[in-house]
């Protein structure tokens, strides 16, 4: 029977995944979930029947926890997918559910759905390999070959991380020592079992660490984009502040935030989180400053428009013929057009002019 492999996830975070790709992926994911659950149940039964079942408990619990986290996320995707009726917004949300972190304990919250599937598969392969070998009857050559293959995967996961590569090299040295001992005819079943466990743990840790590094790179790139966007807004904001201070009497007294004072975006997770929090504070300050300096300019523009509308009304109802009304219009116009403009005074004079331009009551008894 052919073993179902982990399905390849389509799209990427934050983009609407094509419906056809989603349909194929979700179908493959359901098949994978069903098969892995059956396989995990068999492995659990085999572990219980083993001579030392406690040796397998930690990996089995983690594998089952990962499977459950994947199952839960798949159940969250189903109503959003809505049997294929998901629109672009819903499909973008599905991409966040597929590529975003899982909401689960036992380490699953550190990885995405895609990474959890791969990690679960790695654990299942390791458990199947370990449970298929009884220390008294195992083929040591095959077991050593399996450990060597795991170490190759660990090297790929370690990448340029010096500490991780050092850990892998240490494990490889122990493997080489066991190979040499086995070649001399020594019984290495005990040390080999320990090495298998440690290599499996190392691979699991490296998968999680790799996911964390990707998450860190993604968060850092997003933070850099946010910083660049704020820096790009700064010249226009300074121009707005200068205009407001030039054209408005009694302008706000708020300083323009200087994004450069935050320094460069850091590389470590702890420092990046703190930096992102400070950047969010700066972003809110930018919004506050922009709103504070835009408000009086907008109010002046609205007063100018209201004055023009009232002047047109005065022309239509004949009130513009009154010297008092004309004087009120001139006074309000001068206040609105003054530089700097006292918005409070201008608003009062425009409201006064509005009162002057009201329609006069029709004399009693006049024909309508």
């Amino acid at each position: 029977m052919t073993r179902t492999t982990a399905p390849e996830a389509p799209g990427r975070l934050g983009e609407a995944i094509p419906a056809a790709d989603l349909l194929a992926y979700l179908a493959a994911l359901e098949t994978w979930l069903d098969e892995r659950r059956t396989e995990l149940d068999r492995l659990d039964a085999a572990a219980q029947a083993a001579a030392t079942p406690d040796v397998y408990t930690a990996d089995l619990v983690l594998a089952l926890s990962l499977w459950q986290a994947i199952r839960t996320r798949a159940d969250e995707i189903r109503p959003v997918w809505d049997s294929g009726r998901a629109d672009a917004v819903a499909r973008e949300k599905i991409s966040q559910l597929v590529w975003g972190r899982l909401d689960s304990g036992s380490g699953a919250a550190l990885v995405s759905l895609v990474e959890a599937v791969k990690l679960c598969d790695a654990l299942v392969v390791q458990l199947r390999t370990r449970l298929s070998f009884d220390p008294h009857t195992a083929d040591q050559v095959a077991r050593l070959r399996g450990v060597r293959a795991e170490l190759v995967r660990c090297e790929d996961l370690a990448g340029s991380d010096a500490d991780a590569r050092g850990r892998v090299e240490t494990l490889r040295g122990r493997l080489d020592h066991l190979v040499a001992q086995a070649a001399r005819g020594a019984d290495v079943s005990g040390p080999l079992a320990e090495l298998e466990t440690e290599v499996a743990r190392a691979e699991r840790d490296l998968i999680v660490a790799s996911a964390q590094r990707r998450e860190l790179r993604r968060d850092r790139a997003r933070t850099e984009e946010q910083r660049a966007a704020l820096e790009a807004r700064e010249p226009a904001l300074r121009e707005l502040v200068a205009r407001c201070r030039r054209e408005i009497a009694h302008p706000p007294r708020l300083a323009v935030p200087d994004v450069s004072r935050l320094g460069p975006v850091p590389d470590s997770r702890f420092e990046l989180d703190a930096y992102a929090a400070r950047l969010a504070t700066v972003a809110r300050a930018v919004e506050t400053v922009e709103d504070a300096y835009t408000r009086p300019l907008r109010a002046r523009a609205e007063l100018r428009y209201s004055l023009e509308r009232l002047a047109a009304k005065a022309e239509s109802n004949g009130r513009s013929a009154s010297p008092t009304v004309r004087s009120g219009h001139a006074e309000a116009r001068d206040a609105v057009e003054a530089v700097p403009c006292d918005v409070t005074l201008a608003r009062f004079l425009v409201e006064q002019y509005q009162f002057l331009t009201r329609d006069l009551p029709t004399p009693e008894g006049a024909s309508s």
Side-chain angles (χ1 to χ4, degrees), residues 288-339:
T288 300
V289 170
E290 185 176 40
D291 180 68
Y293 282 97
T294 301
R295 196 181 305 118
L297 292 171
R298 187 187 301 116
R300 184 191 186 196
E302 291 172 352
L303 289 173
R304 184 182 288 116
Y305 171 76
S306 297
L307 187 60
E308 293 175 356
R309 181 173 52 81
L310 291 171
K313 177 183 177 182
E315 288 290 339
S316 65
N317 65 9
R319 294 294 294 147
S320 61
S322 168
T324 302
V325 174
R326 288 199 302 271
S327 175
H329 177 264
E331 193 175 14
R333 183 190 60 218
D334 291 344
V336 171
E337 299 298 336
V339 178

Side-chain angles (χ1 to χ4, degrees), residues 49-314:
T52 54
D54 293 343
V55 173
Y56 310 102
T57 300
D59 284 347
L60 269 171
V61 169
L62 179 57
L64 287 167
S65 298
L66 284 168
W67 183 92
Q68 185 57 55
I70 297 165
R71 175 74 272 172
T72 301
R73 180 54 59 89
D75 292 341
E76 292 173 359
I77 292 174
R78 187 181 298 113
V80 183
W81 172 239
D82 195 17
S83 300
R85 289 185 288 270
D87 57 12
V89 175
R91 285 185 277 112
E92 181 178 342
K93 181 179 179 181
I94 292 175
S95 76
Q96 296 171 354
L97 292 172
V98 171
W99 292 99
R101 291 182 181 181
L102 293 176
D103 300 325
S104 173
S106 302
L110 299 174
V111 297
S112 67
L113 173 64
V114 179
E115 293 158 345
V117 168
K118 293 179 180 178
L119 180 55
C120 186
D121 264 355
L123 286 169
V124 167
V125 169
Q126 176 61 28
L127 283 166
R128 191 172 61 247
T129 301
R130 291 169 62 194
L131 286 167
S132 64
F133 292 110
D134 187 313
H136 301 290
T137 60
D139 180 359
Q140 289 184 349
V141 174
R143 293 175 68 188
L144 291 168
R145 187 182 299 117
V147 172
R148 194 179 301 278
E150 282 188 89
L151 286 173
V152 171
R153 293 196 298 271
C154 287
E155 284 182 343
D156 294 339
L157 289 168
S160 59
D161 188 333
D163 292 338
R165 295 192 71 85
R167 181 181 180 184
V168 174
E169 287 302 319
T170 299
L171 293 171
R172 184 176 293 282
R174 290 175 57 184
L175 174 63
D176 293 340
H177 176 71
L178 286 181
V179 170
Q181 291 291 96
R184 294 173 52 229
D187 180 10
V188 297
S189 57
L192 179 56
E194 293 179 4
L195 182 60
E196 286 174 328
T197 301
E198 292 189 31
V199 170
R201 186 181 298 113
E203 184 178 15
R204 182 180 65 217
D205 293 345
L206 288 171
I207 290 174
V208 173
S210 177
Q212 290 175 325
R213 286 196 299 271
R214 282 194 294 272
E215 185 77 15
L216 178 61
R217 286 196 298 269
R218 184 164 59 241
D219 290 348
R220 190 176 189 278
R222 182 166 56 246
T223 302
E224 287 179 338
E225 290 176 2
Q226 293 170 349
R227 175 195 165 98
L230 287 176
E231 287 180 331
R233 292 177 62 182
E234 194 171 320
L237 185 57
R238 292 188 183 280
E239 184 178 344
L240 172 67
V241 170
R243 179 190 168 195
C244 183
R245 290 175 176 173
R246 183 175 61 251
E247 298 182 6
I248 302 297
H250 315 298
R253 297 297 180 186
L254 297 176
V256 177
D258 186 357
V259 182
S260 64
R261 295 176 67 88
L262 291 176
V265 179
D267 295 321
S268 70
R269 166 55 65 185
F270 177 77
E271 292 177 346
L272 180 62
D273 289 343
Y275 187 95
R278 293 197 300 272
L279 188 64
T281 301
V282 172
R284 290 192 295 271
V286 167
E287 295 293 339
T288 300
V289 170
E290 185 176 40
D291 180 68
Y293 282 97
T294 301
R295 196 181 305 118
L297 292 171
R298 187 187 301 116
R300 184 191 186 196
E302 291 172 352
L303 289 173
R304 184 182 288 116
Y305 171 76
S306 297
L307 187 60
E308 293 175 356
R309 181 173 52 81
L310 291 171
K313 177 183 177 182

